[in-house]
Amino acid sequence: MEGMISGAMRFEGQRAFEQLLREVNCPKSIHEVYFFLRGLITGTHVSMPSTWFGWLFDGHEPVYDSMEQAQRFMGNIMGLWNLISDAQHDDKPLPDIREEFPLTAEGIKDRVKMITRKSLAFIKGLDFADTDPREMTPDGREALKSLAESDALCSMYLELPEEQTPNLKTLRKSQELLDKVEQIIEDCIQRIDLGLVEARKAAVPRPAAPLRRERGTDPRVTDPKVPRNAPCPCGSGKKYKKCCWLKLH
């Protein structure tokens, strides 16, 4: 894992990364990866890549054609992580990950499935970050509950008869309703993020004295002597001041 992270951590863009996902036979879509990383970053604790990387491949060991391909894949993952983290911590816009579905019955159904997978991926990211709903604000817990039921929301909003071919008006109405569902999901994610602000601060305690970091121990940042402009020891690829330092101050 360390060898893979040593490559350039740069997100090459949606098309290039989608192609790379296919090349390495990753079963997750770019949208699932994107929302999974958002869940990891929103969650309470810093989670090292070695703990969650296997989820991307459904627990199987990835097979790469070369070390260069492995480094490029991990570089894209961590590059996307950095863009999401920048958006969360520095009020920058989130990466523009687009998804288009044809205005057909199958297209609507595919979109419903993708909405559900994105919600579940975000929740899985929270799980890997050891997020305890009891540490959220009441509004954050309510948002998490709504997010977990997003598949039910889709079913509630989607009124598409299966016994006949829907007309264009019905398809457009279904599309508009799914737009509203996605807006609700995005609102839930933002509320969960706000509901975990204090929990994230409390998750990284300020030590009374500098801690000696032994080889092989968890590199979560608790040492105040780390220079603010140095790479964050958590492995995110960001500067310390834009990553774990924010959880300490």
Side-chain angles (χ1 to χ4, degrees), residues 196-209:
L196 284 170
V197 170
E198 294 303 319
R200 285 195 295 265
K201 291 179 180 178
V204 187
R206 188 189 303 273

Side-chain angles (χ1 to χ4, degrees), residues 30 46 69 80 108 111-112 132 147 150 167 171 182 189-190 210-211 239 244 249:
I30 186 172
V46 176
Q69 185 185 60
L80 182 56
I108 294 294
R111 186 178 177 189
V112 170
D132 187 344
L147 185 64
S150 61
N167 57 38
L171 290 171
E182 295 216 64
I189 290 176
Q190 293 179 15
L211 298 179
K239 290 183 179 180
C244 289
H249 298 79

Side-chain angles (χ1 to χ4, degrees), residues 18 26 30 36 40 62 75 80 95 118 127 131 163 186 224 234 240:
E18 285 177 326
C26 181
I30 186 172
F36 176 65
L40 281 169
L80 182 56
K118 291 192 301 186
D127 289 343
T131 305
E163 64 276 2
E186 187 61 38
C234 76
Y240 176 51

Side-chain angles (χ1 to χ4, degrees), residues 7-158:
M9 287 181 283
R10 182 176 70 87
F11 179 60
E12 300 175 14
Q14 181 171 346
R15 289 185 179 180
F17 187 49
E18 285 177 326
Q19 177 62 33
L20 188 56
L21 288 171
R22 289 190 290 268
E23 290 176 2
V24 301
N25 295 314
C26 181
K28 298 296 189 292
S29 69
I30 186 172
H31 308 290
E32 289 175 284
V33 173
Y34 171 67
F35 277 83
F36 176 65
L37 294 180
R38 287 186 70 180
L40 281 169
I41 293 169
T42 300
T44 308
H45 298 272
V46 176
S47 182
M48 300 300 293
S50 58
T51 65
W52 51 259
F53 189 76
W55 179 86
L56 300 176
F57 292 89
D58 291 340
H60 300 293
E61 192 71 24
V63 178
Y64 303 102
D65 293 336
S66 63
M67 177 57 72
E68 180 182 359
Q69 185 185 60
Q71 290 180 337
R72 183 179 165 223
F73 179 76
M74 197 62 195
N76 270 271
I77 292 290
M78 300 313 296
L80 182 56
W81 172 295
N82 289 343
L83 291 175
I84 296 170
S85 184
D86 282 341
Q88 179 172 308
H89 295 151
D90 298 338
D91 293 327
K92 295 181 179 180
L94 284 164
D96 187 16
I97 306 296
R98 297 179 179 272
E99 50 187 329
E100 296 181 0
F101 297 93
L103 192 57
T104 63
E106 286 303 314
I108 294 294
K109 291 176 183 178
D110 287 342
R111 186 178 177 189
V112 170
K113 293 176 184 177
M114 181 55 66
I115 290 173
T116 301
R117 289 170 184 165
K118 291 192 301 186
S119 299
L120 293 177
F122 179 83
I123 293 172
K124 180 60 69 173
L126 292 178
D127 289 343
F128 273 100
D130 293 331
T131 305
D132 187 344
R134 294 173 297 181
E135 297 176 334
M136 296 181 183
T137 62
D139 184 65
R141 287 194 296 273
E142 185 63 29
L144 180 62
K145 179 181 178 182
S146 296
L147 185 64
E149 297 172 349
S150 61
D151 55 342
L153 287 174
C154 288
S155 299
M156 180 180 67
Y157 281 123
L158 187 58

